[in-house]
């Protein structure tokens, strides 16, 4: 027996008077390990198994958390995504990793055919992407990443390179996606809004003839329980919409699905404010962007706020009417600083009322109306609670002076993240983990909550109020 073994081997039959177990790793360490495990070298996958590529709004949220671990890596995360931008300005919702087998995820690159079907729209030739988009959190993420280490950001020219791409992204949305003609952005596929199978989409989707189930194979069911995932009927409609959009050369305006969503537009407004701060940092004109953000806020209120519902609703552009379903998307505009005070108070009452149960019946805010006929506590966006939407609501509550409620939600999120193994989403009543664990944005936003402590006066969205310090 060598000397090390002699020193570390316990004599047989002897009792140990005091041998405490090693302390479990902290929540911070565990969250950081998730991001380390999901890092590919240039970006972070949401999940190694179920989501093995780079997703657009996932990377934005992940960068917000990564900035606390490595500002350089957070900058790289966003730069990798922006490098796949199309010439028309759109940032695709997936950037595919060529080393991942085609059958690992559907729809795969050979379905989207971005470099050929997207040629007219300016899809890149050297990287394969999807052809649809996701919510525009990116300018907000870029500004927060810059603030994590302004010296490094300036030395690398991070904002100088990102700004024209972010500006082109916003211009694409505001000009190519104003399908209702009122100034708000429309999504042309449920996947674009990010809340894929929300009951808010059921009515406009009912007009879509689903693709044959024999025409595709769902890889998601290899990693998640069928009762947690969208139904085959919903998936067939998603595939039909994506196929038609692809076959039309990814031209906007002709599809059967066009919806003005409050969360998508609220995140665009928040990022417009952030883009104004970036412009100021670079010595460019900023006033027009801040003014546009305020005008868009007024339009959002005029077009999508529904007083009887006490919240914002989605508008079906093709049918010309509001969709009478309460989804968490309709609470997300709480993060806007120019939201009228009475409307902010109304959103808080709705969030805390019987439809969402914040501070009462639910651990975290559910993705859909607890009293809705389509509510399901486990099925994807039809009821479970997600960490990114709760992070946005926590920030919004704090922004509008609801400190007690924000503190309670923050505490609930941190506890649930650790207890669930950083789950993709959870049962809003029991916090039971659903979907996959070790999920990227759950870990990243946990880190952000841990670092941005309320006692320090931060709320993570000071970038859109002009209170930050570079």
């Amino acid at each position: 027996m060598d000397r090390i073994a002699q020193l570390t081997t316990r004599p047989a039959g002897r009792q140990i008077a005091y041998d405490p177990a090693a302390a479990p790793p902290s929540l911070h360490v565990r969250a950081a390990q998730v991001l380390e495990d999901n890092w590919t070298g240039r970006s972070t996958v949401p999940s190694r198994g179920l989501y093995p590529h780079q997703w657009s709004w996932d990377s934005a949220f992940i960068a917000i958390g990564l900035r606390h671990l490595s500002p350089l890596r957070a900058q790289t995360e966003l730069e990798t995504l922006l490098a796949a931008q199309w010439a028309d300005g759109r940032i695709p919702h997936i950037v595919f990793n060529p080393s991942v087998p085609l059958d690992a995820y559907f729809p795969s690159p050979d379905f989207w055919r971005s470099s050929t079907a997207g040629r007219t729209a300016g899809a890149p030739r050297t990287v394969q992407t999807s052809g649809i988009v996701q919510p525009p959190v990116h300018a907000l993420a870029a500004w927060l990443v810059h603030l994590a280490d302004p010296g490094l950001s300036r030395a690398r020219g991070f904002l100088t390179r990102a700004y024209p791409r972010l500006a082109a992204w916003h211009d694409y949305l505001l000009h190519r996606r104003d399908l209702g003609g009122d100034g708000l952005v429309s999504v042309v596929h449920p996947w674009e809004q990010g809340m894929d199978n929300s009951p808010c989409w059921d009515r406009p989707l009912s007009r879509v003839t689903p693709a044959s189930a024999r025409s595709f194979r769902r890889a998601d069911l290899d990693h998640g329980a069928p009762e947690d995932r969208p139904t085959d009927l919903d998936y067939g409609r998603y595939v039909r919409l994506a196929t038609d959009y692809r076959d039309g050369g990814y031209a906007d305006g002709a599809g059967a699905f066009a919806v003005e969503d409050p969360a998508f537009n609220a995140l665009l407004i928040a990022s417009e404010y952030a883009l104004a701060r970036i412009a100021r940092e670079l010595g460019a004109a900023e006033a027009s962007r801040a003014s546009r953000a305020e005008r868009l806020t007024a339009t959002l209120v005029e077009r999508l706020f529904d007083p009887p519902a006490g919240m914002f609703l989605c508008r079906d552009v093709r049918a010309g009417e509001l969709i009478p379903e309460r989804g968490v998307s309709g609470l997300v505009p709480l993060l806007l600083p120019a939201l009228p005070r009475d409307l902010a108070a109304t959103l808080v009452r709705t969030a805390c009322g019987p439809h969402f149960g914040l501070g009462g019946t639910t651990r975290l805010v559910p993705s859909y109306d607890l009293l809705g006929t389509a509510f399901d506590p486990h099925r994807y966006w039809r009821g479970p609670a997600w960490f990114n939407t709760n992070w946005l609501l926590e920030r919004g509550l704090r922004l509008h002076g609801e400190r007690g409620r924000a503190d309670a939600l923050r505490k609930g999120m941190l506890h649930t993240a650790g207890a669930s193994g950083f789950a993709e989403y959870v049962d809003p009543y029991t916090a039971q983990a659903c979907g996959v664990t070790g999920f990227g944005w759950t870990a990243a936003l946990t880190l952000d909550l841990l670092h941005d402590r309320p006692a320090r006066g931060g709320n993570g969205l000071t970038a859109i109020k002009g209170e930050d310090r570079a």
Side-chain angles (χ1 to χ4, degrees), residues 9-165:
T9 302
R10 297 173 181 170
R14 292 185 59 181
Q15 296 245 329
I16 304 299
Y18 178 65
D19 188 17
S26 69
L27 187 60
H28 182 283
V29 169
R30 292 169 58 201
Q33 188 60 54
V34 169
L35 296 184
E36 183 64 30
D37 292 344
N38 292 2
W39 177 246
T40 68
R42 295 292 299 173
S43 64
T44 309
V45 298
S47 161
R48 282 286 182 182
L50 181 54
Y51 306 105
H53 302 286
Q54 183 179 26
W55 261 257
S56 173
W57 76 326
D58 289 76
S59 277
F61 286 120
I62 286 168
I64 289 171
L66 270 179
R67 67 190 172 120
H68 302 295
L69 300 177
S70 169
L72 176 59
R73 203 160 106 184
Q75 291 176 29
T76 302
E77 181 83 34
L78 295 174
E79 289 167 346
T80 301
L81 179 67
L82 291 173
Q85 185 174 28
W86 291 27
D88 67 1
R90 82 181 75 193
I91 296 175
H93 98 296
I94 301 175
V95 180
F96 290 106
N97 183 343
S99 67
V100 173
L102 288 178
D103 62 359
Y105 182 81
F106 179 84
S108 53
D110 58 343
F111 171 87
W112 294 104
R113 306 171 198 166
S114 61
S115 59
T116 54
R119 184 179 297 123
T120 301
R125 296 182 179 181
T126 58
V127 62
Q128 293 296 312
T129 76
S130 65
I132 59 175
V133 302
Q134 278 191 321
V137 198
H138 312 89
L140 175 60
W143 181 242
L144 294 176
V145 167
H146 164 78
L147 293 178
D149 190 337
L152 174 68
S153 174
R154 291 166 184 149
R156 295 187 68 248
F158 169 62
L159 292 181
T160 301
R161 288 178 285 110
Y163 179 75
R165 291 183 175 273

Side-chain angles (χ1 to χ4, degrees), residues 265-332:
N265 281 278
L267 290 170
L268 175 61
I269 295 167
S271 279
E272 273 289 295
Y273 280 114
L275 208 54
R277 302 313 307 278
I278 294 172
R280 180 189 297 181
E281 163 70 19
L282 299 176
E286 60 161 312
S288 61
R289 292 200 175 276
S291 297
R292 181 158 64 183
E294 293 177 0
R295 290 196 305 273
L296 285 171
T297 300
T299 303
L300 184 70
V301 170
E302 179 183 353
R303 290 278 292 174
L304 302 186
F305 187 76
D306 185 62
M311 63 186 300
F312 292 83
L313 300 179
C314 297
R315 179 176 292 276
D316 184 343
V317 174
R318 296 291 178 241
E321 61 186 14
L322 292 176
I323 299 170
E325 297 285 358
R326 293 177 173 90
V328 70
S329 171
L331 300 175
V332 171

Side-chain angles (χ1 to χ4, degrees), residues 26 42 54 118 135 147 153 168 184 201 216 239 248 274 296 304 350 389 442 444 463-464 466:
S26 69
R42 295 292 299 173
Q54 183 179 26
L147 293 178
S153 174
L184 296 184
W201 316 135
F216 60 91
V239 171
L296 285 171
L304 302 186
T350 300
T389 52
T442 303
I464 65 173

